[in-house]
Amino acid sequence: MSFLDYFRGKKTGSANVAKERLQIIVAHERGQRDQPDYLPQLQQELLAVIRKYVQISDDMVQVEVDRNGSCSVLELNVTLPER
Amino acid sequence: MARIIVVTSGKGGVGKTTTSASISTGIAKRGHKTVVIDFDVGLRNLDLIMNCERRVVYDFVNVIQGEASLSQALIRDKRVDTLYILPTSQTKEKEALTKEGVEKVINELSETFDYIICDSPAGIEHGAMMALYYADEAIVVTNPEVSSVRDSDRILGILQSKSRRAEMGQEPVKEHLLLTRYNPDRVARGEMLSVGDVEEILAIPLLGVIPESQIVLNSSNQGLPVILEAESDAGQAYDDAVARLLGEEREQRFMTNQKKGFFSRMFKGG
């Protein structure tokens, strides 16, 4: 903290870094919390099937479940590589 | 019907047993018949913090397995006569805490006690799950530090999905945030997460803030719950938390550093 910062009351510590990192990871983990247990395996198996035909990396298949009241929607998002 | 309160955190070493000892002592001191149960099978420590380690004959697991009655296992506190301690086993397997066994003991305690405080082990394994399963309320002990806050959020998720109240579709477990080892000076310097930061991230109501204090080690050395150190800041902060838990309105204290004037700073090197 510089001399002038002391009078400005400016915070230069690492606490805001901690807060930002926590907000991101906590939001991410809360999103996963409500997902069914089988999703990671489903994602792996889908990847294996798609790889028989196209070479794609792990992060190119996204599987999510959206709940709207009484019905759930399984959302599958596959990004194919550019030709 | 007893109020069943779990003291939990996910992360170890944040002050669960210290908190269980002080909260149960504080409630009992106000005249409510209170029992505090140690759920940390194999790593028993509540007895040491409560200074009754040499009086343990039978334990929680003995009662579950029918080797002793509850009245044989319960230890009456020497300082507060409405307070009882149910120690855990130091030698048995964690799995000895069965859901049915724990339920039986809790139901029996509910008949005669007003408050049942469950001191959870760290982690999210079997013992921790058993400690929170039957809870009506949860005190989530958190340090203003990244790993503790993240683990607390994880425990909140478990309370909301794996507790009996969640499984039965009943009213959810009432959650309370207790921020411990708080250092207002470091917060003021921007080196430590503030109460507001942690409240914002975890989004649960604040029960209290316990300042980082040397008295905590001093009192655990002697087997004295911190709350009985009535002159100390940490002791008073625990007393405030107990009062709020019992429905009293108390303004938050110990959240800001004691402002020192320019002159005292000059002359005392503050």
Side-chain angles (χ1 to χ4, degrees), chain B residues 152-169:
Chain B
S152 292
D153 192 68
R154 180 96 170 88
I155 275 290
L156 288 168
I158 292 171
L159 284 163
Q160 290 156 15
S161 62
K162 303 269 168 67
S163 61
R164 178 173 61 173
R165 282 177 171 269
E167 284 184 358
M168 300 283 190

Side-chain angles (χ1 to χ4, degrees), chain B residues 15-87:
Chain B
K16 282 182 297 298
T17 301
T18 301
T19 296
S20 299
S22 279
I23 297 279
S24 56
T25 302
I27 295 173
K29 260 185 75 184
R30 286 171 164 78
H32 304 285
K33 206 175 167 199
T34 307
V35 57
V36 55
I37 311 177
D38 190 347
F39 274 79
D40 203 347
V41 177
L43 292 169
R44 167 165 96 199
N45 275 322
L46 181 68
D47 54 338
L48 264 182
I49 300 299
M50 300 291 292
N51 201 17
C52 62
E53 71 275 13
R54 291 173 27 162
R55 296 164 66 204
V56 178
V57 182
Y58 292 109
D59 59 55
F60 189 18
V61 177
N62 290 140
V63 178
I64 287 179
Q65 298 184 338
E67 296 157 358
S69 69
L70 251 182
S71 55
Q72 287 176 302
L74 285 172
I75 301 172
R76 188 176 197 159
D77 190 79
K78 289 220 163 136
R79 294 157 295 225
V80 185
D81 60 6
T82 46
L83 178 61
Y84 290 77
I85 299 113
L86 182 55

Side-chain angles (χ1 to χ4, degrees), chain A residues 13-15 19 29-30 33, chain B residues 150 153 190 197 200-201 265:
Chain A
S14 52
K19 187 182 180 186
E29 287 175 346
R30 280 183 193 158
R33 193 183 287 167
Chain B
R150 181 201 207 170
D153 192 68
D197 292 340
E200 196 183 323
I201 294 162
R265 220 186 273 248

